[in-house]
């Protein structure tokens, strides 16, 4: 049977790869390369579909829900005031990236280029820090503290979610591969 927490950990690897791609693009921009608004929108799409819809929603709907329901105040507070707040910050970051790309497209100024770099790097940095918290504290706490039956439920719900969004996951990973080829250093 699929291990739901391991699936989330594996997704973190792809999200970290994505953060590297974002950082590489920003370095290119600092070195004077042209802003490719199409690629920025692809990055925002990856953030929206893979990071948020496929990963964060899976956490929220399955693992975090189980932790909030079964681990008392500690579980509820960790999820509500920690992880969910950071997920919302990520969503706001994606809006900022899209807005910065549109502003740059309308007026390709240095100030608008700076906004693109700032919002991209802010999002990438937030993702990396969030992953460290989940990998080192949140997931181990869930694995340690949730009953075997609840963990089995997490596993089966994750398997269902994986099947339901298989095409979207595949399409998102194609975007990541394409961006990695263009922005690998």
């Amino acid at each position: 049977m699929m291990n739901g927490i391991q699936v989330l950990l594996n997704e973190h690897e792809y999200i970290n790869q994505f953060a590297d791609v974002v950082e590489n693009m920003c370095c290119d921009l600092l070195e004077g390369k042209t802003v490719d608004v199409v690629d920025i929108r692809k990055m925002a799409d990856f953030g929206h579909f893979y990071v948020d819809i496929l990963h964060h929603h899976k956490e929220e709907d399955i693992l975090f829900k189980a932790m909030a329901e079964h681990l008392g105040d500690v579980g509820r507070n960790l999820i509500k005031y920690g992880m969910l707040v950071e997920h919302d910050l990520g969503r706001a970051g994606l809006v900022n990236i899209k807005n910065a790309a549109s502003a740059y497209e309308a007026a390709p100024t240095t100030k608008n280029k700076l906004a693109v770099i700032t919002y991209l790097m802010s999002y990438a940095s937030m993702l990396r820090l969030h992953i460290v918290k989940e990998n080192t504290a949140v997931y181990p706490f869930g694995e340690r503290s949730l009953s075997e039956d609840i963990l089995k439920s997490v596993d089966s719900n994750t398997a269902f979610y994986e099947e339901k969004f298989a095409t979207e996951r595949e399409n998102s990973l194609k975007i990541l591969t394409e961006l990695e080829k263009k922005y690998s250093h």
Side-chain angles (χ1 to χ4, degrees):
M1 175 177 267
M2 179 177 291
N3 179 315
I5 292 175
Q6 188 59 52
V7 168
L8 296 170
L9 287 166
N10 293 344
E11 290 170 352
H12 282 170
E13 305 243 351
Y14 288 114
I15 296 168
N16 274 322
Q17 286 175 260
F18 170 66
D20 291 342
V21 169
V22 169
E23 185 176 75
N24 289 342
M25 177 198 229
C26 289
C27 288
D28 287 351
L29 297 177
L30 286 172
E31 293 170 356
K33 294 192 178 165
T34 305
V35 174
D36 188 332
V37 175
V38 171
D39 285 348
I40 294 168
R41 288 194 174 106
K42 286 178 184 176
M43 289 177 179
D45 286 346
F46 182 87
H48 174 72
F49 290 108
Y50 190 86
V51 177
D52 194 40
I53 300 296
L54 299 176
H55 181 73
H56 287 161
H57 280 242
K58 190 182 320 164
E59 287 175 329
E60 292 170 9
D61 295 344
I62 301 170
L63 178 62
F64 292 173
K65 181 179 178 186
M67 291 175 72
E69 289 176 358
H70 299 283
L71 300 182
D73 287 342
V74 173
R76 271 189 301 282
N77 291 338
L78 172 65
I79 300 308
K80 183 176 181 182
Y81 301 114
M83 299 303 95
L84 297 182
V85 170
E86 290 182 10
H87 286 187
D88 286 342
L89 288 172
R91 292 173 184 123
L94 289 171
V95 170
N96 290 335
I97 291 166
K98 290 175 186 177
N99 290 342
S102 294
Y104 183 85
E105 189 173 42
T109 64
T110 300
K111 187 175 181 178
N112 285 339
K113 183 178 184 179
L114 178 62
V116 166
I117 294 168
T118 300
Y119 290 124
L120 282 170
M121 282 308 305
S122 176
Y123 183 66
S125 296
M126 187 278 307
L127 289 175
R128 286 180 173 141
L129 292 171
H130 182 73
I131 286 170
V132 168
K133 288 176 199 172
E134 289 179 339
N135 286 0
T136 62
V138 178
Y139 293 176
F141 174 58
E143 281 183 305
R144 235 183 7 256
S145 304
L146 291 170
S147 72
E148 188 176 320
D149 286 344
I150 299 298
L151 287 171
K152 284 181 182 177
S153 174
V154 167
D155 294 346
S156 66
N157 288 332
T158 299
F160 174 78
Y161 205 94
E162 288 294 285
E163 186 177 315
K164 180 178 177 182
F165 290 102
T167 301
E168 290 85 350
R169 180 179 51 258
E170 185 179 316
N171 291 339
S172 292
L173 293 176
K174 284 179 184 174
I175 290 171
L176 178 59
T177 300
E178 175 189 328
L179 290 168
E180 275 185 310
K181 287 178 185 172
K182 189 168 182 180
Y183 299 102
S184 63
H185 291 184

